Amino acid sequence: RICPGVSSTNLSHIPSDAFDLVYTSYITPLSDPLNFHYKNGGNETEIHSEYKSLCRYYGRFDKNSSSNEDNSSHGKGTNPSKRAFDEVQKMQAIQEEWYAAWTSELIRIARPGAPVLVEEISLPLCEVSHDFGGVSQDFWERAVRRYSWKVEKDSMHFTQAANGHYFLSMKKQDE
């Protein structure tokens, strides 16, 4: 059976364990996971610029330092780097939930023992700024545990792509 191009975040009409091979060519990252557009207005370029600014401050934050608090009146109680750190953590968690939603459905519709492939995976925005965000390779092992994905433990294999993206192949557990 072939399932034509559909959004894998809504595959409820497809029965579980239906396909011998399941893949997606690209999971489009959320372009505005913190809803800056609705909070601040602005076009896509301005919104992306806000995210890049967050990443610049995020890179300056030392989570092990006791001097991260800003007690000045303009600091609103927290320095810009600390605020950026918190926002980037929130942004990444939202992005990871998005990737997990797609992948959960891909795994669900794969037959036991079937390969599940995710291609052209973007890295997190603060690691690579030419994309709108994505997930790091270590996300996948954490996700298997967090979402109880039925994936064979040693089946995950990563391949680097030329454009900074990467590919993931894994195998759904046999019953």
Side-chain angles (χ1 to χ4, degrees):
R1 284 194 251 175
I2 294 177
C3 180
V6 295
S7 169
S8 63
T9 58
N10 183 16
L11 296 177
S12 58
H13 60 285
I14 304 209
S16 297
D17 304 326
F19 295 97
D20 294 322
L21 167 69
V22 178
Y23 78 97
T24 185
S25 60
Y26 182 67
I27 298 175
T28 304
L30 297 172
S31 61
D32 188 13
L34 297 176
N35 293 315
F36 284 153
H37 175 74
Y38 296 108
K39 293 176 187 172
N40 306 333
N43 62 36
E44 191 172 292
T45 302
E46 291 170 346
I47 292 166
H48 195 62
S49 179
E50 284 190 58
Y51 282 101
K52 284 183 178 183
S53 178
L54 268 181
C55 289
R56 279 192 300 277
Y57 279 113
Y58 174 77
R60 296 180 197 151
F61 180 69
D62 178 3
K63 60 186 169 196
N64 298 316
S65 174
S66 61
S67 64
N68 285 318
E69 289 301 312
D70 177 3
N71 296 318
S72 65
S73 60
H74 69 279
K76 298 179 185 174
T78 310
N79 73 25
S81 296
K82 170 66 171 128
R83 285 194 307 274
F85 179 83
D86 293 343
E87 290 289 293
V88 168
Q89 295 296 310
K90 181 179 176 184
M91 171 182 72
Q92 191 58 40
I94 293 167
Q95 201 72 263
E96 289 177 0
E97 288 293 323
W98 174 246
Y99 275 74
W102 278 76
T103 307
S104 293
E105 285 298 288
L106 295 174
I107 294 167
R108 183 187 66 77
I109 66 172
R111 286 189 177 148
V116 177
L117 311 172
V118 184
E119 300 180 340
E120 295 291 339
I121 303 165
S122 304
L123 291 169
L125 177 64
C126 292
E127 290 179 32
V128 179
S129 64
H130 69 270
D131 216 333
F132 278 105
V135 295
S136 61
Q137 289 183 11
D138 69 328
F139 158 75
W140 299 100
E141 278 193 36
R142 288 185 284 113
V144 167
R145 290 187 304 274
R146 180 175 182 184
Y147 302 102
S148 301
W149 288 342
K150 295 179 180 179
V151 173
E152 288 187 9
K153 183 181 178 187
D154 296 326
S155 70
M156 281 200 221
H157 178 73
F158 297 97
T159 305
Q160 205 58 42
N163 60 0
H165 293 171
Y166 64 94
F167 301 96
L168 166 65
S169 64
M170 55 189 161
K171 186 176 175 185
K172 186 172 179 177
Q173 288 176 344
D174 284 321
E175 288 187 353

